[in-house]
Amino acid sequence: MERITERLNTLLGGLDMAGSWLAPLALRLLLAKEFWDAGVGKFHGQNWFGDIQDRFPFPFNLLPPDLSWQIATWFELIGPIALVLGLGTRFFSVSLSILTLVAIAAVHAGHGYTIAEGGWKLPLIYLVMFLPLILSGPGKLSLDHWLRGHYLKAERRLWS
């Protein structure tokens, strides 16, 4: 029995180690793809925010539709690049979550909890996917992790 427990602990330890590298990367890559596609669509499309500006929650309803369109477009283009690199992951995860909450309020809320009819189910899934990145960070396979380790080493040398 002791040997089984030992093997199980070894297996679980290996999965924990792999998870700290691969799970956040998978989340980052999937979210990056989805938001990149939305950003490219906005970049090449026509601004339709004027039609729904009155449904934007405060304070976003105070911005001119052209400015809102530019902000959404560029966050949906720059954010995915940052997520792929794992650079500024928490900042862009929070920013894209806020963008998603505005989209739920302005676009998806009236369609119910469905994917097929443009409801809020898929945006809610994105918000849940952002939570581990916001709360636990980008994982070990990221520039954020490397920079943090590099900065901490430099800080320790400075104070020693």
Side-chain angles (χ1 to χ4, degrees):
M1 186 67 157
E2 196 172 303
R3 189 172 178 110
I4 292 173
T5 304
E6 187 178 306
R7 285 186 179 182
L8 183 59
N9 282 336
T10 301
L11 173 66
L12 293 176
L15 289 173
D16 287 345
M17 188 183 325
S20 66
W21 290 80
L22 299 177
L25 175 65
L27 288 174
R28 293 189 348 249
L29 293 177
L30 182 58
L31 287 163
K33 168 70 169 124
E34 293 299 315
F35 281 88
W36 176 261
D37 289 347
V40 168
K42 285 182 180 68
F43 186 77
H44 293 295
Q46 296 296 315
N47 183 346
W48 42 268
F49 278 12
D51 300 335
I52 61 168
Q53 187 77 15
D54 61 323
R55 290 184 273 177
F56 283 10
F58 178 83
F60 303 100
N61 62 344
L62 302 176
L63 298 174
D66 288 339
L67 180 58
S68 293
W69 183 264
Q70 291 298 317
I71 290 170
T73 300
W74 287 105
F75 266 94
E76 288 178 344
L77 292 173
I78 296 169
I81 294 168
L83 288 176
V84 167
L85 298 173
L87 183 63
T89 304
R90 284 186 163 122
F91 171 79
F92 283 104
S93 293
V94 168
S95 300
L96 292 170
S97 292
I98 292 168
L99 192 109
T100 301
L101 288 168
V102 172
I104 288 172
V107 178
H108 303 284
H111 300 284
Y113 183 75
T114 176
I115 291 178
E117 297 171 16
W120 48 273
K121 183 177 185 175
L122 191 57
L124 178 62
I125 291 169
Y126 295 156
L127 289 174
V128 171
M129 291 171 68
F130 276 125
L131 276 178
L133 298 176
I134 294 168
L135 298 175
S136 299
K140 291 184 177 180
L141 197 55
S142 67
L143 287 176
D144 285 339
H145 179 76
W146 182 83
L147 288 169
R148 186 176 184 177
H150 202 61
Y151 173 75
L152 290 175
K153 285 178 190 172
E155 187 175 292
R156 274 188 234 121
R157 276 182 280 179
L158 180 69
W159 294 106
S160 358

